[in-house]
Amino acid sequence: MCGISGWLLNESGKFTREHMRSMTAALEHRGPDDSGVYFDSDHDVAFGHNRLSVLDLSERGHQPMLNRHSGDVVNFNGEIVNFAVLRDQLQTKGYVFESCTDTEVLLYSFAAWGIDCIDRIQGMYAFALWAKSARVLHLVRDPMGIKPLYYRLLPDNFGLIFASEVKAFIGLPGFAATVDRRSLGQFLEFGYTFDKYSTIFKEVRKLQPGHRLELAPGGSAKTIRYFFPEVNRCFTKDRRSLEDELYSVLDNVVQEHVVADVPIGLLLSGGLDSRIVAAMAAKHTSVRTFNFTFEDSDVDERAKAKTVSEYVGSQHEEFVITSKEIRKDLDSSVRCMDDLFGDWGTLSTRLMYRNCRERDIKVVLVGEGADELFAGYWGRFSPSFEGGEDWRIDWRLFRLYRVYIGRRYGGGFWEYRQRMRSYLRLTKGDLFNAIRLFESREQLSNNFAMKVDKASMAESIEARVPFLDARVVSIAYQIPRDFLISEDHEVKSLLRSMATRYGLLPEEIVGQRKYGIALPPGWLDVSESFKEYAREVIFDRDGCVDELGFRDAMTRFFHGNAQGYRFPRAASIFRNLAWKLLLLDLWSRHYGLSPAGG
């Protein structure tokens, strides 16, 4: 796991080694164990790398990594979990390896099979590969967008710059760190930018999940999709067969995900997903599990987590997170949200990863992704209007829109409707699967997976997500609604029956409802001191409350204890809006930007 950065230019002289060092310095937290740079002055190519050593901890894993025979260079972030199988295949072809890294496997996979090698690799990754003889730069992002990859196309076809995080672009020549107003609007409603390409900055784009980009000197960038998941079109398997297939694939995937040359931990939450991963991981290696709760919270699932740890035989630890810790870390955590997003969980999970790192854990398994793939949210996947008149579909979409934005009646519905209509066309009017595609292709890659990536890498932790392995995803997309939501409204029904049938967990644990983690008493609706702090930030003269037109709403919230406007006026929950404005103002201060955009 690492931070990658670099560029391909069509003219020389504008960027220097110092600029490359500036980019790598901005990403040092992603890889504190080693750093390296590569320069090809003949072609104006530069790579920078920050390494978090997980496989082959020796200097043989140094990056960027060069193929001495072809001159190709790879700059790799992530893990190829099936690298051992690919390594065996490549050795039979005569390739000789100097390290035990998956990076070298990727380098020789490209030598053997070209860019089509991405159809063979499994895992989470974002990488840049300079094919020297062909003079082509390849950028690739994994199928589900677990790892981020941002890029900036320079004006006048001058070239391209890329990085693992947006903050690496700040300070580079010619980069105007200007907030994109459309992205800002999406953040204020959804808590993140769900646009396919856009980020919070006008000049920075994101490579989509399951896509790759090609750029040759003097040419224009060409983006190509390589991952095409099919969603439940012609289903014939019975439930038992699906349970068998899912168990076999998921067990194999988890086994691959626990391969590392460093200690491995697992975040054991109150949900079924992390419990299944813990049970499977414990079959293949010694597991250390970690669970947390908030101080004075009404929800405490430590006893359930301990029951699971005893059942699977893990070494277990518990943490209590205080409101003081949350408040103390808020400013620095905002830096993690560089492509601005507002997930509350980023702060608490970052503290969890920090506790793991203090115990010499460098790799942590998490259960992210199962809710979106296996229909874990009743409020979103509940019985819906299938087909029928447009007004009925639009009404259902409007109800979903309200769920996603916390019942804020804003102006983003038509963008959301357009996106959902495109998924309805892909699923031939199947609204359940259209919702599942939005959840797994938009919510995950732009929000939840970024929360995992940014929070973990801020503490130099590699977070692995077995449920988002492309092989698991391909099975999940084929499971029909009736197997995922039972007649008595049990969500993730097939996952539960699989866990019961294979004895992964105690039966009483499998059937338990997930309550989630209640917010600590340091938040806007509970703590007066935190509320006062937020009020001071939001009403600061350099804030955005006036320019964005929210002074009346925030005055009513902070001084009149109003909860929101009545329909049809926007901002129906002031607390949610206040939280996003607080993050926006802190984020803007940190990066020295105009918070209201350009």
Side-chain angles (χ1 to χ4, degrees):
M1 188 63 60
C2 329
I4 62 173
S5 54
W7 61 67
L8 169 61
L9 308 179
N10 292 329
E11 298 178 23
S12 60
K14 192 167 185 178
F15 292 89
T16 67
R17 290 177 182 265
E18 286 304 313
H19 293 130
M20 188 76 266
R21 293 190 183 99
S22 171
M23 295 183 77
T24 56
L27 304 180
E28 184 179 6
H29 54 281
R30 297 187 71 93
D33 297 332
D34 187 23
S35 64
V37 295
Y38 165 83
F39 286 92
D40 181 344
S41 56
D42 292 335
H43 300 97
D44 287 318
V45 177
F47 285 173
H49 189 85
N50 299 89
R51 186 184 183 204
L52 180 66
S53 304
V54 171
L55 292 172
D56 191 341
L57 310 185
S58 73
E59 62 184 18
R60 294 172 299 182
H62 179 79
Q63 288 196 55
M65 188 174 286
L66 172 70
N67 183 333
R68 291 178 298 175
H69 304 289
S70 65
D72 297 341
V73 183
V74 69
N75 198 10
F76 177 63
N77 171 30
E79 294 294 334
I80 298 175
V81 295
N82 65 332
F83 77 97
V85 173
L86 294 175
R87 180 187 173 100
D88 290 342
Q89 294 174 3
L90 290 165
Q91 285 178 324
T92 63
K93 288 178 171 288
Y95 289 92
V96 178
F97 289 83
E98 298 179 3
S99 74
C100 297
T101 65
D102 53 346
T103 304
E104 192 175 15
V105 169
L106 173 59
L107 190 60
Y108 288 140
S109 292
F110 180 78
W113 301 300
I115 195 59
D116 290 339
C117 69
I118 58 179
D119 295 327
R120 298 172 182 258
I121 65 178
Q122 302 289 347
M124 56 180 187
Y125 48 85
F127 67 83
L129 195 148
W130 170 238
K132 187 170 184 177
S133 60
R135 299 184 64 201
V136 174
L137 174 70
H138 298 278
L139 298 182
V140 184
R141 190 178 180 196
D142 65 67
M144 297 303 292
I146 304 168
K147 293 288 103 183
L149 187 54
Y150 302 97
Y151 66 96
R152 176 190 172 212
L153 292 170
L154 301 177
D156 301 320
N157 201 29
F158 186 75
L160 175 146
I161 307 175
F162 66 89
S164 294
E165 295 183 13
V166 176
K167 61 176 65 71
F169 297 102
I170 295 176
L172 292 179
F175 179 65
T178 305
V179 174
D180 184 273
R181 288 300 292 258
R182 183 166 173 264
S183 298
L184 178 59
Q186 291 181 359
F187 165 74
L188 290 173
E189 293 211 3
F190 291 88
Y192 65 95
T193 302
F194 71 72
D195 186 80
K196 287 184 179 181
Y197 305 105
S198 301
T199 69
I200 196 64
F201 290 127
K202 278 185 177 180
E203 296 184 17
V204 180
R205 310 181 89 186
K206 56 197 175 196
L207 188 61
Q208 293 183 72
H211 283 67
R212 62 184 181 88
L213 182 149
E214 290 183 2
L215 178 66
S220 58
K222 179 171 64 173
T223 304
I224 303 158
R225 182 178 178 180
Y226 70 88
F227 180 65
F228 297 88
E230 293 189 6
V231 181
N232 188 24
R233 291 182 178 175
C234 184
F235 184 80
T236 58
K237 294 180 181 177
D238 59 36
R239 184 183 184 105
R240 191 177 183 87
S241 297
L242 267 176
E243 288 176 355
D244 291 339
E245 184 178 4
L246 178 60
Y247 176 83
S248 176
V249 170
L250 186 57
D251 185 57
N252 179 62
V253 166
V254 171
Q255 183 177 8
E256 292 176 339
H257 276 65
V258 297
V259 174
D261 294 331
V262 293
I264 291 179
L266 189 142
L267 297 191
L268 191 58
S269 70
L272 176 69
D273 321 324
S274 63
R275 296 170 180 178
I276 288 176
V277 174
M280 288 184 166
K283 292 172 49 184
H284 305 294
T285 190
S286 298
V287 176
R288 294 178 65 182
T289 53
F290 302 91
N291 175 260
F292 77 97
T293 192
F294 287 119
E295 182 184 47
D296 300 327
S297 171
D298 293 333
V299 178
D300 188 344
E301 295 190 325
R302 284 178 292 178
K304 297 175 184 177
K306 187 174 182 180
T307 298
V308 173
S309 72
E310 290 173 350
Y311 187 84
V312 304
S314 66
Q315 181 182 340
H316 189 65
E317 288 189 66
E318 301 169 348
F319 305 121
V320 176
I321 295 177
T322 68
S323 57
K324 289 183 179 179
E325 289 179 285
I326 293 286
R327 167 64 186 88
K328 180 181 177 182
D329 262 34
L330 182 56
D331 276 346
S332 61
S333 291
V334 166
R335 187 176 184 271
C336 305
M337 307 174 185
D338 56 347
D339 186 16
L340 191 59
F341 62 98
D343 194 309
W344 305 70
T346 306
L347 281 69
S348 55
T349 54
R350 182 188 174 194
L351 289 170
M352 273 297 292
Y353 290 124
R354 182 180 302 166
N355 279 309
C356 292
R357 197 66 164 92
E358 289 171 353
R359 287 153 179 79
D360 296 322
I361 299 292
K362 291 178 77 171
V363 174
V364 173
L365 271 62
V366 297
E368 205 75 40
D371 283 322
E372 292 75 18
L373 290 167
F374 295 93
Y377 304 117
W378 172 249
R380 301 175 196 177
F381 291 105
S382 56
S384 55
F385 301 121
E386 304 291 344
E389 299 97 337
D390 280 352
W391 72 266
R392 298 184 73 213
I393 292 294
D394 281 347
W395 173 240
R396 172 63 172 138
L397 294 180
F398 184 63
R399 288 164 57 193
L400 278 169
Y401 166 72
R402 292 171 59 188
V403 171
Y404 285 122
I405 63 173
R407 290 185 168 81
R408 178 176 184 266
Y409 301 89
F413 172 66
W414 298 109
E415 282 188 278
Y416 170 74
R417 175 184 179 272
Q418 183 180 20
R419 186 62 52 83
M420 286 299 298
R421 283 285 182 176
S422 68
Y423 285 131
L424 280 166
R425 288 191 292 272
L426 284 175
T427 59
K428 298 183 179 179
D430 185 332
L431 185 53
F432 174 80
N433 278 317
I435 295 168
R436 190 152 51 144
L437 281 175
F438 179 81
E439 287 282 332
S440 58
R441 304 297 290 173
E442 310 282 349
Q443 288 272 91
L444 272 172
S445 62
N446 294 321
N447 190 21
F448 300 141
M450 291 303 93
K451 174 192 72 175
V452 173
D453 176 82
K454 303 296 176 69
S456 60
M457 294 308 296
E459 300 300 328
S460 305
I461 288 276
E462 174 176 300
R464 297 181 178 179
V465 281
F467 278 111
L468 291 182
D469 185 283
R471 292 163 291 184
V472 178
V473 171
S474 296
I475 294 174
Y477 279 154
Q478 297 305 308
I479 302 174
R481 180 190 180 283
D482 291 346
F483 287 2
L484 293 173
I485 300 180
S486 67
E487 292 182 358
D488 60 355
H489 303 165
E490 180 185 63
V491 295
K492 291 187 284 193
S493 178
L494 188 130
L495 264 184
R496 296 180 192 278
S497 58
M498 179 202 73
T500 299
R501 184 169 155 221
Y502 283 93
L504 294 176
L505 298 164
E507 190 170 344
E508 67 273 14
I509 291 291
V510 173
Q512 283 177 346
R513 177 185 172 189
K514 179 181 179 179
Y515 291 96
I517 299 294
L519 298 178
W523 298 112
L524 294 166
D525 54 347
V526 180
S527 170
E528 285 302 320
S529 62
F530 189 84
K531 192 171 184 178
E532 176 61 21
Y533 161 73
R535 187 195 68 77
E536 290 177 1
V537 172
I538 290 172
F539 283 106
D540 184 87
R541 64 178 184 174
D542 295 325
C544 62
V545 67
D546 288 316
E547 189 169 350
L548 294 177
F550 292 126
R551 176 169 288 275
D552 178 68
M554 292 297 93
T555 299
R556 289 170 181 253
F557 174 65
F558 285 106
H559 300 293
N561 292 318
Q563 297 305 302
Y565 291 130
R566 293 183 179 275
F567 180 77
R569 294 190 67 185
S572 62
I573 296 185
F574 288 159
R575 180 192 62 215
N576 291 354
L577 177 60
W579 167 249
K580 292 168 186 173
L581 291 177
L582 173 62
L583 289 183
L584 174 61
D585 282 326
L586 291 174
W587 177 87
S588 302
R589 289 179 183 180
H590 182 83
Y591 289 108
L593 305 173
S594 169

